[in-house]
C-alpha cells in the first residue's frame, strides 16, 4: 500500500508540474468571442461559400450585359470564291478582276481581318428566373454564415463554461485532498496511540489515493477545455487558459419563447425553397423563344494589323428551340420534384426546431429543480462532514463514517457545479434556439 501511495504521489506531482510548466494564459469570454469571429476556420469556410454563391449570381449579369469579342484572322488562299470575296472586302476590285480566267484561277491572295462582335440579349425569360434563383441562393448563404456565427458564439459559451467547470473541479478536489491528508495525519497519530487499527489507516490512505487520481483527471479536463478553446480560435499554440471569472448561475431573461421564422437558418431554408421554385419556372420558360440583337464591325487589308477597308453589320435574331428530344420536359420535371422536396424539408426543419425548443424548455425546468436540490444536498453534506470530523477528532466517530462523509461532500460539491453548468447551458441553448 505504501508503494502504491508513493507511485500515486509521483504521478500527481508529475501532472501538477506538467500543468504549471505550460504557459497559463488568463482569458475572458469576450476575448474568445473576438478571436473566434476573426480566426475560426468554420466561419471562413462559410464566408467562402457565400463568395462562391455571389460569384454565381454575378454570372447571371449576362442576362442584361452584352457579349463582346474581338479577333484578328489572317488567311492566304487561291480558292476562287474566297479570293474574290477577300478582294471585295479589301475594296481593291478592278475591272480586270472580272476576267473569267482570273475568276476561275486566281493568284494567291492574302487577307487580314480584324473583327469586333457584340451580342446583346433582349428577351431571355428563363435567364431572368435563373438570375432570381441565384440571388436567393446568395442570400441564403449569407444567412447561413450569420447562423454559423451564432452557433459558434453558443459553442464558445459552452466551451468557456466547461473551462470554468474544470477549474471548479480542481479547486474542490484540492480542498478534498488537503482534508484527506489532514485526516491521514490524525489517523496515523491515533494508530500510534493505539486508538485505531491498521485497517482504518489503510482506508484513509485509499481515500487519499482516490482523491489524487480524481484531481489528476480534473487537471486533464482543464487542459482538454483549454485545447478546445484554442481549436475554436484557430490557435496552434495550445496553452492552458485560466478564466478571469468564476462559474456562477446565469441571470438572463429570455426575450422570446418560440421559434421565429426570421431566425437566420430558417430564413435561409425558405430562400433555398424560393431558389428551387425559380429554377423550376426557368425550366418551364425555356420553351419560350429568345430575342437577341447582334452586330459587328470589320476591318480588312492585305497587311497584318492594318485596316484600309471596313464595314459593319447589325441585326436581331428570334430563336426558338422547338424540340430537344424531351430533354427539357425531363429537366422541368426534375426541378419541380426538387422544389416540392425543398418545401417538405423546410416544414420538417421548422418542426424539428420546435421539437428541440420544447426539449430545451423542459431541460431548463429540470435544471432549475436540480439546482435547488443539489444546493440543499450540498448544505446537508457539509454539515454532516463538520459534525463527523469533530467527533472523529474526539475519537467518537468511525473512520469509515468520516471517509463516507468526506466522499459525499466532495461529490455534492462537484454535482452542484455540474448542475450550474447544466442550467447555464440549457439557458444559453434556449437563447440560441429563439434568436431572431
Amino acid at each position: 500500500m505504501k508503494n502504491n501511495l508513493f507511485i500515486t504521489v509521483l504521478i500527481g506531482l508529475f501532472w501538477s508540474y506538467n500543468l504549471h510548466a505550460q504557459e497559463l494564459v488568463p482569458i475572458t469570454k469576450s476575448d474568445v468571442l473576438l478571436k473566434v469571429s476573426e480566426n475560426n476556420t468554420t466561419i471562413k469556410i462559410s464566408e467562402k461559400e457565400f463568395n462562391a454563391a455571389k460569384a454565381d449570381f454575378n454570372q447571371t449579369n449576362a442576362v442584361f450585359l452584352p457579349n463582346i469579342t474581338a479577333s484578328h484572322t489572317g488567311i492566304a488562299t487561291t480558292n476562287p470564291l474566297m479570293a474574290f470575296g477577300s478582294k471585295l472586302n479589301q475594296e481593291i476590285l478592278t475591272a480586270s478582276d472580272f476576267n473569267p480566267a482570273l475568276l476561275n484561277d486566281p493568284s494567291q491572295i492574302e487577307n487580314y481581318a480584324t473583327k469586333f462582335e457584340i451580342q446583346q440579349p433582349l428577351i431571355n425569360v428563363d435567364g431572368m428566373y435563373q438570375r432570381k434563383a441565384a440571388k436567393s441562393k446568395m442570400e441564403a448563404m449569407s444567412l447561413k454564415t450569420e447562423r454559423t456565427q451564432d452557433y459558434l458564439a453558443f459553442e464558445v459559451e459552452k466551451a468557456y463554461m466547461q473551462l470554468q467547470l474544470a477549474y471548479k473541479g480542481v479547486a474542490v478536489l484540492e480542498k478534498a485532498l488537503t482534508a484527506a491528508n489532514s485526516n491521514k495525519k490524525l489517523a496515523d497519530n491515533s494508530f500510534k496511540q493505539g486508538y485505531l487499527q491498521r485497517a482504518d489507516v489503510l482506508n484513509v490512505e485509499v481515500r487519499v489515493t482516490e482523491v489524487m487520481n480524481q484531481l489528476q483527471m480534473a487537471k486533464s479536463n482543464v487542459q482538454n477545455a483549454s485545447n478546445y478553446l484554442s481549436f475554436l480560435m484557430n490557435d496552434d499554440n495550445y496553452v492552458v487558459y485560466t478564466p478571469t471569472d468564476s462559474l456562477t448561475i446565469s441571470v438572463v431573461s429570455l426575450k422570446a419563447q418560440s421559434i421565429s421564422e426570421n431566425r437566420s437558418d430558417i430564413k435561409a431554408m425558405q430562400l433555398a425553397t424560393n431558389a428551387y421554385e425559380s429554377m423550376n419556372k426557368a425550366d418551364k420558360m425555356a420553351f419560350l423563344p429568345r430575342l437577341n440583337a447582334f452586330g459587328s464591325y470589320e476591318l480588312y487589308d492585305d497587311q497584318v494589323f492594318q485596316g484600309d477597308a471596313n464595314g459593319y453589320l447589325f441585326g436581331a435574331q428570334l430563336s426558338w428551340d422547338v424540340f430537344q428530344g424531351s430533354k427539357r420536359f425531363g429537366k422541368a420535371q426534375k426541378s419541380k420534384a426538387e422544389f416540392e422536396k425543398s418545401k417538405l424539408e423546410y416544414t420538417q426543419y421548422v418542426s424539428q426546431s420546435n421539437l428541440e425548443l420544447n426539449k430545451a424548455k423542459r431541460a431548463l425546468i429540470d435544471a432549475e429543480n436540480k439546482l435547488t436540490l443539489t444546493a440543499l444536498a450540498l448544505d446537508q453534506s457539509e454539515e454532516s462532514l463538520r459534525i463527523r470530523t469533530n467527533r472523529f477528532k474526539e475519537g467518537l466517530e468511525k473512520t469509515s463514517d468520516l471517509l463516507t462523509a468526506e466522499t459525499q461532500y466532495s461529490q455534492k460539491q462537484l454535482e452542484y457545479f455540474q448542475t450550474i453548468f447544466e442550467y447555464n447551458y440549457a439557458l444559453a441553448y434556449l437563447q440560441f434556439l429563439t434568436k431572431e
Side-chain angles (χ1 to χ4, degrees):
M1 178 60 68
K2 287 184 177 180
N3 291 335
N4 291 338
L5 181 61
F6 177 72
I7 293 173
T8 305
V9 171
L10 287 179
I11 294 175
L13 290 175
F14 169 77
W15 277 92
S16 178
Y17 171 78
N18 187 41
L19 181 60
H20 290 288
Q22 289 184 279
E23 183 182 1
L24 297 177
V25 179
I27 196 167
T28 64
K29 185 166 61 179
S30 59
D31 291 337
V32 179
L33 287 170
L34 179 60
K35 291 181 180 180
V36 166
S37 64
E38 293 176 347
N39 304 321
N40 183 265
T41 304
T42 303
I43 292 178
K44 292 181 179 179
I45 291 173
S46 182
E47 290 173 348
K48 297 304 179 184
E49 290 175 344
F50 167 74
N51 291 338
K54 184 178 180 181
D56 288 338
F57 174 69
N58 290 337
Q59 290 182 50
T60 63
N61 289 335
V63 175
F64 306 108
L65 301 179
N67 182 23
I68 302 174
T69 60
S71 64
H72 184 76
T73 306
I75 63 170
T77 182
T78 59
N79 180 281
L81 182 62
M82 293 294 294
F84 184 82
S86 296
K87 285 187 175 183
L88 187 63
N89 285 332
Q90 294 176 17
E91 301 176 3
I92 58 174
L93 276 177
T94 63
S96 61
D97 290 319
F98 288 93
N99 184 342
L102 294 177
L103 286 174
N104 292 326
D105 188 18
S107 301
Q108 176 179 301
I109 185 171
E110 294 181 1
N111 184 57
Y112 297 92
T114 302
K115 191 174 184 179
F116 301 93
E117 292 182 284
I118 182 170
Q119 293 178 334
Q120 174 65 54
L122 297 179
I123 299 177
N124 189 346
V125 181
D126 59 326
M128 294 294 296
Y129 279 104
Q130 289 172 355
R131 177 178 173 82
K132 187 176 180 180
K135 183 177 181 182
S136 295
K137 179 183 176 182
M138 179 185 68
E139 292 174 347
M141 293 306 302
S142 175
L143 291 171
K144 180 185 175 183
T145 301
E146 180 182 334
R147 190 58 177 174
T148 299
Q149 293 171 339
D150 292 340
Y151 171 75
L152 284 169
F154 164 70
E155 195 68 13
V156 167
E157 186 83 24
K158 182 180 72 172
Y160 193 78
M161 287 192 298
Q162 287 174 334
L163 182 65
Q164 292 174 323
L165 179 62
Y167 273 100
K168 284 291 186 182
V170 170
V172 168
L173 292 169
E174 284 178 344
K175 290 181 180 179
L177 182 59
T178 301
N181 285 326
S182 298
N183 291 330
K184 183 179 180 301
K185 291 181 181 180
L186 290 174
D188 289 338
N189 293 332
S190 298
F191 174 72
K192 291 178 182 179
Q193 297 174 11
Y195 297 133
L196 290 179
Q197 298 180 356
R198 181 58 182 167
D200 293 325
V201 177
L202 291 177
N203 286 336
V204 175
E205 291 179 350
V206 169
R207 170 60 183 165
V208 172
T209 305
E210 290 177 347
V211 175
M212 292 183 68
N213 287 334
Q214 292 173 355
L215 180 59
Q216 171 187 322
M217 294 179 63
K219 290 179 178 179
S220 294
N221 290 335
V222 169
Q223 291 179 310
N224 292 337
S226 297
N227 289 348
Y228 186 56
L229 284 175
S230 296
F231 167 76
L232 290 176
M233 294 184 290
N234 195 25
D235 185 1
D236 294 334
N237 298 320
Y238 287 99
V239 299
V240 177
Y241 293 107
T242 57
T244 56
D245 50 349
S246 182
L247 181 66
T248 56
I249 300 173
S250 296
V251 182
V252 179
S253 59
L254 293 173
K255 297 181 180 180
Q257 293 291 334
S258 60
I259 299 295
S260 173
E261 292 184 356
N262 292 325
R263 202 176 75 182
S264 54
D265 57 332
I266 294 179
K267 287 176 65 178
M269 289 285 291
Q270 182 60 60
L271 286 170
T273 300
N274 295 342
Y276 281 113
E277 182 181 16
S278 296
M279 286 303 300
N280 179 238
K281 290 181 178 179
D283 292 337
K284 291 179 179 179
M285 296 302 172
F287 291 88
L288 298 178
R290 299 179 180 181
L291 179 62
N292 297 305
F294 60 89
S296 65
Y297 180 71
E298 303 165 2
L299 300 170
Y300 296 98
D301 205 290
D302 59 356
Q303 300 293 323
V304 66
F305 295 118
Q306 299 295 321
D308 288 341
N310 61 75
Y312 64 85
L313 172 73
F314 66 89
Q317 180 187 45
L318 183 66
S319 61
W320 190 358
D321 292 332
V322 179
F323 185 69
Q324 292 183 342
S326 77
K327 176 181 178 181
R328 288 183 303 184
F329 294 99
K331 189 176 181 181
Q333 290 171 350
K334 179 181 178 181
S335 62
K336 182 179 180 181
E338 290 176 339
F339 170 50
E340 296 296 334
K341 175 187 173 184
S342 68
K343 290 196 295 185
L344 293 174
E345 288 175 339
Y346 173 80
T347 302
Q348 182 186 47
Y349 190 78
V350 173
S351 178
Q352 186 176 3
S353 297
N354 283 311
L355 175 64
E356 287 294 322
L357 177 65
N358 292 331
K359 288 172 60 178
K361 287 180 179 179
R362 288 190 290 269
L364 181 62
I365 294 173
D366 293 340
E368 288 177 338
N369 295 332
K370 186 178 178 181
L371 195 60
T372 302
L373 294 176
T374 53
L376 179 61
L378 178 60
D379 292 339
Q380 291 173 342
S381 63
E382 183 179 14
E383 180 63 17
S384 175
L385 177 60
R386 186 187 67 80
I387 294 173
R388 292 184 184 277
T389 300
N390 292 335
R391 289 175 58 83
F392 180 76
K393 291 178 180 179
E394 297 174 1
L396 303 175
E397 193 70 41
K398 294 181 180 179
T399 305
S400 59
D401 292 338
L402 175 63
L403 296 177
T404 300
E406 274 187 5
T407 303
Q408 287 181 346
Y409 180 57
S410 297
Q411 289 176 345
K412 296 305 176 184
Q413 283 181 295
L414 295 175
E415 287 177 6
Y416 177 68
F417 291 123
Q418 177 66 32
T419 305
I420 292 178
F421 170 82
E422 292 173 0
Y423 173 79
N424 291 347
Y425 174 80
L427 189 61
Y429 189 46
L430 265 178
Q431 289 179 298
F432 172 70
L433 291 176
T434 57
K435 181 179 176 60
E436 294 188 0

Coordinates of all heavy atoms in Angstrom, one line a residue, residues 197-230:
Q197 N -7.1 0.8 14.4 CA -6.4 -0.4 13.8 C -5.8 0.0 12.5 O -6.0 1.0 11.9 CB -7.5 -1.5 13.6 CG -8.1 -2.0 14.9 CD -9.1 -3.1 14.6 OE1 -9.4 -3.4 13.5 NE2 -9.7 -3.6 15.7
R198 N -4.9 -0.9 12.1 CA -4.2 -0.7 10.8 C -5.1 -0.6 9.6 O -4.9 0.2 8.7 CB -3.2 -1.8 10.6 CG -2.3 -1.7 9.3 CD -1.5 -0.4 9.3 NE -0.8 -0.2 8.1 CZ -0.2 0.9 7.7 NH1 -0.4 2.0 8.5 NH2 0.5 1.0 6.6
A199 N -6.2 -1.4 9.7 CA -7.2 -1.3 8.6 C -7.8 0.0 8.4 O -8.1 0.5 7.3 CB -8.3 -2.4 8.8
D200 N -8.0 0.7 9.5 CA -8.6 2.1 9.4 C -7.6 3.0 8.7 O -8.0 3.9 7.9 CB -8.9 2.6 10.8 CG -10.1 1.8 11.4 OD1 -11.0 1.4 10.7 OD2 -10.1 1.6 12.7
V201 N -6.3 2.9 9.1 CA -5.3 3.8 8.5 C -5.2 3.5 7.0 O -5.1 4.4 6.1 CB -4.0 3.5 9.1 CG1 -2.9 4.4 8.4 CG2 -4.0 3.9 10.6
L202 N -5.3 2.2 6.6 CA -5.3 1.9 5.2 C -6.5 2.5 4.4 O -6.4 2.9 3.3 CB -5.2 0.3 5.0 CG -4.0 -0.3 5.5 CD1 -4.1 -1.8 5.3 CD2 -2.8 0.2 4.7
N203 N -7.6 2.5 5.0 CA -8.8 3.1 4.4 C -8.6 4.6 4.1 O -9.0 5.1 3.1 CB -10.0 2.9 5.3 CG -10.6 1.5 5.3 OD1 -10.3 0.7 4.3 ND2 -11.2 1.0 6.3
V204 N -8.0 5.2 5.1 CA -7.7 6.7 4.9 C -6.7 6.8 3.8 O -6.8 7.8 2.9 CB -7.1 7.3 6.2 CG1 -6.7 8.7 6.0 CG2 -8.2 7.2 7.3
E205 N -5.7 6.0 3.7 CA -4.7 6.1 2.6 C -5.4 5.8 1.2 O -5.0 6.5 0.2 CB -3.6 5.1 2.8 CG -2.7 5.5 4.0 CD -1.6 4.4 4.3 OE1 -1.6 3.4 3.6 OE2 -0.7 4.7 5.1
V206 N -6.3 4.9 1.2 CA -7.0 4.6 0.0 C -7.8 5.9 -0.4 O -7.9 6.3 -1.6 CB -8.0 3.4 0.1 CG1 -8.9 3.3 -1.1 CG2 -7.2 2.1 0.3
R207 N -8.4 6.5 0.6 CA -9.2 7.8 0.3 C -8.3 8.8 -0.3 O -8.6 9.5 -1.3 CB -9.8 8.3 1.5 CG -10.5 9.6 1.4 CD -11.5 9.7 0.4 NE -12.1 11.1 0.3 CZ -12.8 11.5 -0.7 NH1 -13.1 10.7 -1.7 NH2 -13.2 12.8 -0.8
V208 N -7.1 9.0 0.2 CA -6.1 10.0 -0.3 C -5.7 9.6 -1.7 O -5.7 10.5 -2.6 CB -4.8 10.0 0.6 CG1 -3.8 10.9 0.0 CG2 -5.2 10.5 2.0
T209 N -5.5 8.4 -2.0 CA -5.2 7.9 -3.4 C -6.3 8.2 -4.3 O -6.0 8.7 -5.5 CB -4.8 6.4 -3.4 OG1 -3.8 6.2 -2.4 CG2 -4.4 6.0 -4.8
E210 N -7.5 7.9 -3.9 CA -8.6 8.2 -4.8 C -8.8 9.7 -5.1 O -9.0 10.0 -6.3 CB -9.9 7.7 -4.1 CG -10.0 6.2 -4.0 CD -11.3 5.8 -3.3 OE1 -11.9 6.7 -2.6 OE2 -11.7 4.6 -3.3
V211 N -8.6 10.5 -4.1 CA -8.7 12.0 -4.4 C -7.6 12.4 -5.3 O -7.9 13.3 -6.2 CB -8.7 12.7 -3.1 CG1 -8.7 14.2 -3.3 CG2 -9.9 12.4 -2.2
M212 N -6.4 11.9 -5.1 CA -5.3 12.3 -6.0 C -5.6 11.9 -7.5 O -5.3 12.7 -8.4 CB -4.0 11.7 -5.5 CG -3.5 12.3 -4.2 SD -1.9 11.6 -3.7 CE -0.9 12.3 -4.9
N213 N -6.1 10.7 -7.6 CA -6.5 10.3 -9.0 C -7.6 11.2 -9.6 O -7.5 11.6 -10.8 CB -7.0 8.8 -9.0 CG -5.8 7.9 -8.8 OD1 -4.7 8.2 -9.1 ND2 -6.2 6.7 -8.2
Q214 N -8.6 11.5 -8.8 CA -9.6 12.4 -9.3 C -9.1 13.8 -9.6 O -9.5 14.4 -10.6 CB -10.7 12.5 -8.2 CG -11.5 11.3 -8.0 CD -12.5 11.4 -6.9 OE1 -12.5 12.3 -6.2 NE2 -13.3 10.3 -6.7
L215 N -8.1 14.3 -8.8 CA -7.5 15.6 -9.1 C -6.7 15.6 -10.3 O -6.7 16.5 -11.1 CB -6.6 16.0 -7.9 CG -5.9 17.3 -8.0 CD1 -6.9 18.5 -8.1 CD2 -5.0 17.5 -6.7
Q216 N -6.0 14.5 -10.6 CA -5.3 14.3 -11.8 C -6.2 14.4 -13.0 O -5.9 15.1 -14.0 CB -4.5 13.0 -11.8 CG -3.9 12.6 -13.1 CD -3.3 11.2 -13.1 OE1 -2.8 10.8 -12.1 NE2 -3.4 10.5 -14.2
M217 N -7.3 13.7 -13.0 CA -8.3 13.8 -14.1 C -8.9 15.2 -14.2 O -9.1 15.6 -15.4 CB -9.4 12.8 -13.8 CG -8.9 11.3 -13.9 SD -10.3 10.1 -13.6 CE -11.3 10.5 -15.0
A218 N -9.1 15.9 -13.1 CA -9.6 17.2 -13.2 C -8.7 18.2 -13.9 O -9.1 19.0 -14.7 CB -10.0 17.7 -11.8
K219 N -7.4 18.0 -13.6 CA -6.4 18.8 -14.3 C -6.3 18.5 -15.8 O -6.0 19.4 -16.6 CB -5.0 18.6 -13.6 CG -5.0 19.2 -12.2 CD -3.6 19.0 -11.6 CE -3.6 19.7 -10.2 NZ -2.3 19.5 -9.5
S220 N -6.5 17.2 -16.1 CA -6.6 16.9 -17.5 C -7.8 17.5 -18.2 O -7.7 18.0 -19.4 CB -6.7 15.3 -17.7 OG -5.5 14.7 -17.2
N221 N -8.9 17.6 -17.5 CA -10.1 18.3 -18.0 C -9.8 19.8 -18.3 O -10.3 20.4 -19.3 CB -11.2 18.2 -17.1 CG -11.8 16.8 -17.0 OD1 -11.6 16.0 -17.9 ND2 -12.4 16.4 -15.9
V222 N -9.0 20.4 -17.5 CA -8.6 21.8 -17.7 C -7.8 21.9 -19.0 O -8.1 22.8 -19.8 CB -7.7 22.3 -16.5 CG1 -7.1 23.7 -16.9 CG2 -8.5 22.5 -15.3
Q223 N -6.9 21.0 -19.2 CA -6.1 21.0 -20.5 C -7.0 20.7 -21.7 O -6.8 21.4 -22.7 CB -5.0 20.0 -20.4 CG -3.9 20.4 -19.4 CD -2.8 19.3 -19.3 OE1 -3.0 18.2 -19.2 NE2 -1.6 19.8 -19.4
N224 N -7.9 19.8 -21.5 CA -8.8 19.5 -22.7 C -9.7 20.7 -23.0 O -9.9 21.0 -24.2 CB -9.7 18.3 -22.3 CG -8.9 17.0 -22.2 OD1 -7.8 16.9 -22.8 ND2 -9.4 16.0 -21.5
A225 N -10.2 21.3 -22.0 CA -11.1 22.5 -22.2 C -10.3 23.6 -22.9 O -10.7 24.3 -23.8 CB -11.7 23.0 -20.9
S226 N -9.0 23.8 -22.4 CA -8.2 24.8 -23.0 C -7.8 24.6 -24.4 O -7.9 25.4 -25.3 CB -6.9 25.0 -22.2 OG -7.1 25.4 -20.9
N227 N -7.6 23.3 -24.7 CA -7.3 22.9 -26.1 C -8.4 23.1 -27.1 O -8.3 23.5 -28.2 CB -6.8 21.4 -26.2 CG -5.4 21.2 -25.6 OD1 -4.7 22.2 -25.3 ND2 -5.1 20.0 -25.3
Y228 N -9.6 22.9 -26.6 CA -10.8 23.1 -27.4 C -11.0 24.6 -27.7 O -11.4 25.0 -28.8 CB -12.1 22.5 -26.7 CG -13.3 22.5 -27.6 CD1 -13.3 22.0 -28.9 CD2 -14.4 23.2 -27.2 CE1 -14.4 22.0 -29.7 CE2 -15.6 23.2 -28.0 CZ -15.5 22.7 -29.2 OH -16.6 22.7 -30.0
L229 N -10.8 25.4 -26.7 CA -10.8 26.9 -26.9 C -9.8 27.3 -28.0 O -10.1 28.1 -28.9 CB -10.6 27.6 -25.6 CG -11.8 27.7 -24.7 CD1 -11.4 28.3 -23.4 CD2 -13.0 28.4 -25.3
S230 N -8.6 26.7 -27.9 CA -7.6 27.0 -28.9 C -8.0 26.6 -30.3 O -7.8 27.3 -31.3 CB -6.3 26.3 -28.5 OG -5.7 26.8 -27.3

